[in-house]
Amino acid sequence: MVYQFEMERIWIDETELFYQVKLQLRSSVCSSNQNVYMQDEILQELIDFIAGLNNAWGKEPLIWRLFDSDADDQKISLTFTLIDRTGTIQVDVWIDDKWDHDPFDHFHAAFKFRTTMGQLDDLSTQLKRFIRRETDHVASLRPE
């Protein structure tokens, strides 16, 4: 089955303070595979954003950013917007990944996909298991 959000831990620091993951984001017309470094706190922010979206009934779009503000080479953001009263969520994906030392090594993408509040809850549950080291793989947000 194809999921719109997949993440696999491919390397972890011996102190377990940070790790590298392969983050795959997919829509019906575009997909992206990014290897990114992150910490549990970054994923906890995404879990908190999902809870915030649920608690606010989606009245305001929420943006989760995956990048270091000091780094210029890789930036990923996901904007979650409630688009109807049945709980349909639009996720706007924005990726800018470049290698400053090679002007030809650059990837930029902006695409959208839809999901539901229930699927975001599933994503949140899987991310919690990922943080607790119960799994090294997250696959969530099935296409409608």
Side-chain angles (χ1 to χ4, degrees):
M1 172 168 269
V2 175
Y3 293 94
Q4 296 174 128
F5 183 105
E6 282 194 68
M7 186 172 62
E8 181 178 2
R9 191 177 351 252
I10 55 177
W11 175 84
I12 189 165
D13 177 61
E14 63 187 27
T15 64
E16 295 195 20
L17 295 177
F18 66 96
Y19 39 87
Q20 186 178 30
V21 300
K22 178 166 56 168
L23 178 64
Q24 299 173 310
L25 300 167
R26 296 182 187 94
S27 74
S28 61
V29 296
C30 186
S31 67
S32 168
N33 295 316
Q34 301 292 310
N35 289 339
V36 296
Y37 292 100
M38 65 174 53
Q39 298 173 317
D40 292 340
E41 294 80 21
I42 296 169
L43 291 179
Q44 186 60 51
E45 286 177 7
L46 179 55
I47 293 167
D48 294 342
F49 271 99
I50 292 169
L53 191 66
N54 281 330
N55 293 338
W57 289 92
K59 292 179 184 171
E60 295 290 326
L62 294 175
I63 301 171
W64 177 68
R65 291 180 174 90
L66 176 59
F67 62 87
D68 181 351
S69 59
D70 296 331
D72 290 331
D73 56 347
Q74 187 178 47
K75 298 175 180 172
I76 300 170
S77 71
L78 304 178
T79 303
F80 300 89
T81 308
L82 180 67
I83 59 173
D84 66 28
R85 292 182 178 257
T86 64
T88 303
I89 305 293
Q90 178 175 296
V91 181
D92 292 278
V93 178
W94 183 83
I95 301 168
D96 188 48
D97 188 0
K98 60 186 172 186
W99 181 249
D100 287 335
H101 304 290
D102 183 354
F104 296 103
D105 189 3
H106 186 90
F107 176 78
H108 181 77
F111 57 94
K112 303 174 184 192
F113 60 83
R114 290 187 177 179
T115 190
T116 63
M117 296 289 269
Q119 288 193 42
L120 284 179
D121 290 340
D122 173 69
L123 175 60
S124 179
T125 299
Q126 288 191 45
L127 290 173
K128 289 174 186 174
R129 292 185 61 231
F130 189 88
I131 288 172
R132 292 189 304 257
R133 311 295 191 262
E134 295 172 6
T135 186
D136 287 326
H137 186 255
V138 172
S140 191
L141 308 183
R142 293 185 311 269
E144 295 295 313

